[in-house]
Amino acid sequence: MKKFRFQFESVLKMRRHKRSLCRQLLGEILQADQRLVEESRRLDALRQEQIQEIRQRQEPGRVDIDAGANLRSYVGQLQAQLRTVQANRRLLEKQLTACRQALAKAEQEVKAMEKLSDKHREAFQFAQIRKESLELEETWAATQQSGGLR
């Protein structure tokens, strides 16, 4: 019996590879987003600590204007960094959406090719079974004719 070979196997492999790349990119984007979430939390916690420090330095009897000004400046820098992280997360969100759409399309393309492959395989198997059946019938008919001649 002949072995089935899908004529568009290279296209199917290419589409599977594309799907794999989309999955990999999606994973990388999700990891980058997680790092930004962690960075945002870290910066916000640090900012909160500095704000608390400013409050403690403003208690009656403890006035340190230079230190307070430095802390306020640092809090402003932390706030700017937080805004940058949030802006980067918004950009990543757009990339994430595009990547998910590309992955969905790649999945559809792979499924379509796999379905086509299955149809071709079934047609091939049907043809092979039919061919074998015809060969058996011919063999049977030949044996009947040769048996009838004796």
Side-chain angles (χ1 to χ4, degrees), residues 41-76:
R41 287 181 185 149
R42 185 188 69 79
L43 289 170
D44 191 48
L46 191 54
R47 185 178 138 285
Q48 293 298 329
E49 288 175 19
Q50 298 309 310
I51 290 172
Q52 186 63 31
E53 180 70 24
I54 291 170
R55 287 184 184 137
Q56 289 175 356
R57 289 182 184 253
Q58 290 178 350
E59 290 179 356
R62 285 187 72 195
V63 177
D64 189 350
I65 295 174
D66 289 333
N70 288 337
L71 287 173
R72 280 187 185 82
S73 174
Y74 185 50
V75 167

Side-chain angles (χ1 to χ4, degrees), residues 4-35:
F4 172 73
R5 185 181 171 324
F6 182 46
Q7 69 188 47
F8 300 112
E9 188 67 32
S10 59
V11 175
L12 179 57
K13 285 181 182 179
M14 180 192 68
R15 289 185 178 177
R16 283 179 176 157
H17 180 69
K18 180 180 175 183
R19 178 184 63 184
S20 177
L21 291 176
C22 286
R23 285 178 178 167
Q24 182 181 358
L25 181 60
L26 180 64
E28 290 172 4
I29 291 172
L30 289 172
Q31 285 178 344
D33 187 54
Q34 185 60 39
R35 284 190 299 271

Side-chain angles (χ1 to χ4, degrees), residues 12 16 19 110-119:
L12 179 57
R16 283 179 176 157
R19 178 184 63 184
V110 167
K111 286 184 189 292
M113 289 304 292
E114 287 174 343
K115 193 172 185 179
L116 183 63
S117 175
D118 290 343
K119 284 183 180 181

Side-chain angles (χ1 to χ4, degrees), residues 50-112:
Q50 298 309 310
I51 290 172
Q52 186 63 31
E53 180 70 24
I54 291 170
R55 287 184 184 137
Q56 289 175 356
R57 289 182 184 253
Q58 290 178 350
E59 290 179 356
R62 285 187 72 195
V63 177
D64 189 350
I65 295 174
D66 289 333
N70 288 337
L71 287 173
R72 280 187 185 82
S73 174
Y74 185 50
V75 167
Q77 290 172 3
L78 290 172
Q79 188 65 36
Q81 289 175 355
L82 269 170
R83 283 192 297 271
T84 301
V85 168
Q86 291 166 351
N88 287 341
R89 284 202 65 213
R90 285 190 294 276
L91 288 174
L92 271 181
E93 188 62 36
K94 290 178 185 177
Q95 290 177 342
L96 190 60
T97 300
C99 188
R100 283 186 173 142
Q101 290 172 348
L103 179 57
K105 183 179 178 193
E107 284 285 351
Q108 288 174 343
E109 291 173 349
V110 167
K111 286 184 189 292

